[in-house]
Amino acid sequence: MAKTKTIITFLLRLLAFGATLTATVVMVTSHDSAEVLNLKFSAKYSNSPAFNFPNIYLLVDKFWHRFYVIAEAIASGYGLIALFLCSKSSVERLMVILDVVIAMLLTSSISAALAEAEIGKKGNSHAGWLPICGQVPKFCDHVTGALIAGFVAAIVYLVLNLYSLIVVLAPFCPVKP
Amino acid sequence: MAKTKTIITFLLRLLAFGATLTATVVMVTSHDSAEVLNLKFSAKYSNSPAFNFPNIYLLVDKFWHRFYVIAEAIASGYGLIALFLCSKSSVERLMVILDVVIAMLLTSSISAALAEAEIGKKGNSHAGWLPICGQVPKFCDHVTGALIAGFVAAIVYLVLNLYSLIVVLAPFCPVKP
């Protein structure tokens, strides 16, 4: 029983680590450029204001996209450490708490990034914001990939939390199966 | 000791319930209009496309703002039930799990709404998106109030989760104080 738990937890952690690492790497390496009306548009995940004009850094110079990369990187780092520690029962209790914190961090970052990405993809005609994906499709594909990986990571952490909590709380359960 | 725990938990739940209820009500009642160049701009939390033209429903016709209201409303409903149930130890274990789920829901909704609100307030000059708060200040104040209440609720749920987990996990602790 304890062995099954260890294996399930390990597999979930491995999946979460893979997903967060993918999200970080794919988001950091995302860039694309396009020429429209002889103006060169560039899209990159981070902003560098000193770059040659005219450049349009789209969406991605925002605080939120940097927050996404930082959050996914923190989750990757934690995930890697957790992979090696998860069989040690002395830190298991601390990890239940850390898992909840990391899950909230991931949920927060993916929601913010999705909200921005939706505007980037569809625009908002009511507010006069134009969609930008037609101009920089390669960049958008990269960001979409990173967001899918981040979404998978958030779901895996939710499952991991529910599983650990149920296992941890089971001995307290007033009704024994 | 058990009494202190009950009182702290009850107060945290009361605070969380107040914050989520405020966030829901303030967001739902937010609306404002402004006249710019003889065009009437309206801002409301939900979109009704059949309304008299020319109207600009800003930001707020998005999926994410409705998601915000729905998430805060669910958290309010759960918070109200939890207030009456939190002293019953038979459901206490289930509530530890539900608290984590509600905390993730709140974190997700506040992050998405904050990301959009930031664009609404400051715009994004790189993507050609103009800020809208100068035109509809009353609406923006309302939304800001709702976001602050939602943020407080998310923080309170994080504290509540950490507190319950530490209390629940304490008996397992290998090192007794």
Side-chain angles (χ1 to χ4, degrees), chain A residues 10-74:
Chain A
F10 185 80
L11 288 179
L12 282 174
R13 286 191 189 283
L14 197 65
L15 188 59
F17 171 65
T20 48
L21 190 68
T22 310
T24 314
V25 172
V26 173
M27 189 62 109
V28 169
T29 57
S30 60
H31 55 85
D32 193 9
S33 61
E35 266 184 65
V36 183
L37 302 168
N38 285 332
L39 287 173
K40 198 166 180 299
F41 290 71
S42 284
K44 248 180 117 181
Y45 107 90
S46 71
N47 187 21
S48 60
F51 218 67
N52 50 324
F53 190 82
N55 269 299
I56 300 195
Y57 290 93
L58 304 153
L59 283 180
V60 282
D61 57 338
K62 308 294 290 185
F63 167 74
W64 292 105
H65 272 246
R66 254 178 248 155
F67 173 55
Y68 185 76
V69 171
I70 293 168
E72 297 290 332
I74 290 173

Side-chain angles (χ1 to χ4, degrees), chain B residues 18-114:
Chain B
T20 48
L21 191 68
T22 309
T24 314
V25 173
V26 173
M27 189 61 108
V28 168
T29 57
S30 60
H31 55 85
D32 193 9
S33 60
E35 268 184 64
V36 183
L37 303 168
N38 286 332
L39 287 174
K40 198 164 180 299
F41 290 72
S42 283
K44 247 179 119 181
Y45 107 90
S46 71
N47 187 21
S48 59
F51 218 66
N52 51 324
F53 189 82
N55 270 300
I56 300 196
Y57 290 93
L58 304 151
L59 282 179
V60 281
D61 58 336
K62 307 294 289 184
F63 167 74
W64 291 105
H65 272 246
R66 256 178 246 155
F67 173 55
Y68 185 77
V69 171
I70 293 168
E72 297 290 332
I74 290 173
S76 297
Y78 168 74
L80 187 64
I81 297 169
L83 271 182
F84 292 106
L85 291 180
C86 68
S87 55
K88 300 221 170 82
S89 64
S90 58
V91 287
E92 211 178 1
R93 279 94 221 195
L94 178 65
M95 277 167 64
V96 173
I97 294 172
L98 286 178
D99 281 346
V100 171
V101 175
I102 293 287
M104 283 179 78
L105 183 68
L106 283 180
T107 314
S108 166
S109 73
I110 188 79
S111 304
L114 274 177

